[in-house]
Amino acid sequence: MQSRQNNKLRLQILICCIVTVLATVTPAQAVDRSRVLTVGLFASGVALKFGSTFVATSAQDTYDQYLSTGIQADIVKHRDDYKTKRDLSLGMSRAGVGFVGLAVLISVFDQLDVISKPSAARLVRLNLNPSYNPRTGDAALTFRRKF
């Protein structure tokens, strides 16, 4: 009963967020193609966060089955299913928060005109360069300033 109330509350919050985003985007901003990444990251983050609640509910149902089962083979199967779904839910939730946070950062820097536009790339004195090293798995966000 409690998880259904939580899901209903999360759905209401999601709908409020979507309505707020739709109300704040003006037609002039919608035509600007530079906002596609930000809107895509935000929408993906919200979708991942919303999807993680469904996976978490499924994990809770599996855990309830685990508690009520007396057969050893079923106990092992339900426990493994629960751990898999719980880990997937946590991963989806964290990725969703990361996507929304990244969209907010990009939006803030875009509003501050820190991220350069392709036509004015030579005039910008401050650059934001993301990088990733696949060999070590390190990700970096580098600020470069020209003097």
Side-chain angles (χ1 to χ4, degrees):
M1 184 72 171
Q2 183 69 17
S3 66
R4 288 186 182 169
Q5 290 175 345
N6 286 340
N7 284 341
K8 189 174 181 180
L9 178 65
R10 288 177 183 162
L11 180 62
Q12 290 172 349
I13 291 171
L14 174 70
I15 290 171
C16 288
C17 289
I18 290 171
V19 168
T20 302
V21 167
L22 291 176
T24 59
V25 174
T26 63
Q29 290 175 335
V31 174
D32 188 11
R33 298 253 184 219
S34 67
R35 300 195 195 293
V36 171
L37 175 66
T38 307
V39 172
L41 281 172
F42 181 78
S44 298
V46 170
L48 280 170
K49 192 71 174 148
F50 185 67
S52 74
T53 60
F54 287 112
V55 175
T57 302
S58 176
Q60 185 61 43
D61 292 342
T62 304
Y63 186 73
D64 292 341
Q65 290 174 357
Y66 162 76
L67 291 177
S68 64
T69 301
I71 302 170
Q72 188 64 30
D74 289 340
I75 289 174
V76 171
K77 182 181 87 101
H78 289 307
R79 184 182 64 221
D80 291 341
D81 286 345
Y82 167 72
K83 286 181 180 180
T84 302
K85 289 177 183 178
R86 182 195 62 194
D87 292 343
L88 178 63
S89 173
L90 284 173
M92 287 174 66
S93 178
R94 290 174 181 168
V97 169
F99 282 3
V100 169
L102 186 60
V104 168
L105 279 175
I106 290 172
S107 178
V108 166
F109 284 128
D110 189 33
Q111 292 297 319
L112 294 174
D113 290 329
V114 173
I115 296 177
S116 65
K117 305 231 183 305
S119 62
R122 286 176 260 135
L123 300 174
V124 175
R125 302 178 104 191
L126 185 64
N127 290 328
L128 180 66
N129 298 325
S131 63
Y132 177 71
N133 186 347
R135 199 167 28 103
T136 61
D138 294 334
L141 191 59
T142 307
F143 283 89
R144 289 178 50 188
R145 183 174 181 214
K146 296 179 183 179
F147 292 98

